[in-house]
Each structure stands twice: as C-alpha cells, then as structure tokens.
Amino acid sequence: MSPHSTFADVLAERLRHDAGRPLVTFYDDTTGERVELSVTTYANWVAKAGSLLVDELGLERGDTIRVDLPPHWMSTVFLGAAWTAGLVLTDSDAPQAVVCGPGGLDAWAPVAGSVEVLACSLLPLGVRFADPVPGGVHDVGVEIWSQPDAFVPYDPPVGADDATALDGRTSSQEALIGAAAAGSLLTDGGRLLSTANPASPPGLATFLEPLVRGGSLVLVARADPQRLEAINIAERATDRFPA
C-alpha cells in the first residue's frame, strides 16, 4: 500500500528518485508521432496545466472537469493537473470545465459561455491549432506556454476527506493510489504498453499503476497489431494492456 494520500505526493516522490526516467511515452501510429516525457518534463507540463486551470481560469478545489480527449499524452497531463488542484474528474455533460480535442469542438464550443472549454490541437509538441478556435474556447497550445514550470495551488487537497478524485463515486485520490499500489497490470518498475485511454474509467489504472509503482507507460494510439508488437519490442515493455 502506498503511504501517499494525494497525486501531488506521489509525483513529488518520483521527482526525488526518478526525475530523469521516462514516465509517459506516446505513439500515434497514424501521424508517426513519438513523444517521451521524463518524470521532470511531465511534472512541468502538469504545473503549467494546473496553473492554467486555477490561476488563469479560476477553478477551485472540488470543481468538476471532464477530460474528453482520445488516447493521448495530454490526457495524462490534465489528469495530473486536475488532481494536483483538487479538481474532480467527471463524465458529466455539464462539467465546470472540459478539455477536448479537435473532434470535440463542435460539441463543446456552443457551451463555452457556461463551461470553461480548453481545446488541445493534439498536434506534435502540444502546439496551437492551425486556425483560430471558436470564441470563448481556450486554445491550450496558446495559453499553456506562458504558465510557470512550478505550481502550488492555494487550496491544495491534503487527504482523503478533501481529495475526491472521481465524480459520483466515493473514490478519493488516496483510494485510487492505494489501488494502484496493489494493482496487477505491471511489476514494480515495469514498463506498461497500453492502448487504453488513460482518461477513461478502464484506463485510469494504466497511468496510475506505472506512476505509483515506479514504472512507466507506453501509450499507443491507432496502431495495427503488427506495429503494436514492433513497438512493444522496441520499447522493451514488460507488461501489456489489454493482455
């Protein structure tokens, strides 16, 4: 069982011991993109995203956020940013904030007056959309780069009582971390190859277990079985999901 009660605790522990080690490696086999985030680089992205959510947009601990992205490394960043700030993940159609990709703009742009809508281009390196986003929508590729590489929320979650992680459920960050520490998707320090969306209920563990258990995630999108096997070998994955 992990001794930590919040996501920020776990990430800080990884930074102390594994700062330069890969944490998230992402492949999009349609575009040919490969992105590798070390623990330090991932933490920097989380800090920038957290600052954007809290310091720029004014979200507060307990507010709900929907991460409506396809399998992508940005999903892991906004999961971390949300939990660092004490936000609650939801699949509601009426969250207080939503992070979407290009495919979600038509659905979310019309409600940008009542919901904070953040849009990710999902282009390499997290850059801006090629064309301007609709009015009221925040282009993550524009707004995130000016945010600092360190983020400390003014009202951080500090334990199970105020660190609810998932909307409509009793799961606290502490409960999710404990489940990840006792999980069975990978061995301690292992490298998990996954095609599951980290922001989906079945996929949350594919990110949390590697983080908590000193391992790393290799997230692959839009690859056929032959290519998936080649990536599995090239990345020296020790475990795989789905098996």
Side-chain angles (χ1 to χ4, degrees), residues 140-155:
V140 171
V142 172
E143 300 188 25
I144 202 167
W145 292 104
S146 62
Q147 305 302 322
D149 289 339
F151 167 65
V152 179
Y154 60 85
D155 186 21

Side-chain angles (χ1 to χ4, degrees), residues 185 192 194 196-198 202-211 216-217 219 241:
L185 293 182
L192 178 65
S194 173
N197 188 340
L204 281 176
T206 65
F207 170 60
L208 283 174
E209 282 198 27
L211 176 73
S216 57
L217 169 66
L219 177 62
F241 182 86

Side-chain angles (χ1 to χ4, degrees), residues 66-91:
R66 180 167 173 175
V67 181
D68 189 17
L69 292 172
H72 196 270
W73 63 270
M74 289 296 291
S75 297
T76 69
V77 167
F78 277 98
L79 289 177
W83 284 331
T84 299
L87 305 182
V88 180
L89 291 180
T90 184
D91 57 6

Side-chain angles (χ1 to χ4, degrees), residues 15 33 70 135 161 163 177 204 214 227 239:
L15 281 167
E33 180 182 7
D161 291 340
I177 291 165
L204 281 176
R227 177 63 178 148
D239 303 273

